[in-house]
Amino acid sequence: MTIRVDGRPILTLGAVVGGQLPIQRAQAIADQMNAFFNSDPAPYDVRVSNLLGTTSVIGAQTILYRVAPEDASYAHQGAEAIAGAVRTQLAQAIDNAPYNRRF
């Protein structure tokens, strides 16, 4: 299951985490991202947090995505690499959004 923003792939989920299927997780993450995008964010509002061994992508004050160990195993990457890639993709999507054009 791939989450896209304006057609741009942001995150691919393939692992079951805590009994939740990838489609269920993707819907929850998409809901968080929609709420974040409704706040008219800037690219610098997206960051990676590593707190108490949990790596997350944060938009403003909202956790958009927590990288589960199952996600890292599925992607064959470390949690920080996954979160960094998601942060970069989200920041680029915000920067490229038509409403965010600078004149």
Side-chain angles (χ1 to χ4, degrees):
M1 168 67 24
T2 299
I3 297 171
R4 296 176 183 274
V5 173
D6 293 334
R8 173 192 301 265
I10 302 294
L11 171 64
T12 299
L13 299 170
V16 174
V17 176
Q20 281 192 317
L21 298 173
I23 187 91
Q24 295 167 315
R25 296 179 60 222
Q27 184 59 53
I29 293 167
D31 290 345
Q32 291 288 61
M33 287 185 183
N34 282 334
F36 170 63
F37 283 120
N38 286 339
S39 71
D40 194 22
Y44 57 79
D45 289 328
V46 183
R47 64 192 185 285
V48 172
S49 170
N50 191 348
L51 185 62
L52 300 173
T54 301
T55 303
S56 303
V57 177
I58 306 210
Q61 303 299 318
T62 303
I63 296 173
L64 302 174
Y65 168 57
R66 282 190 180 97
V67 184
E70 295 88 345
D71 294 329
S73 293
Y74 175 79
H76 304 290
Q77 294 182 355
E80 288 188 25
I82 295 168
V86 170
R87 189 213 67 78
T88 298
Q89 291 296 327
L90 283 173
Q92 287 176 350
I94 292 167
D95 195 44
N96 292 335
Y99 65 82
N100 210 16
R101 298 278 186 251
R102 307 286 186 247
F103 294 99

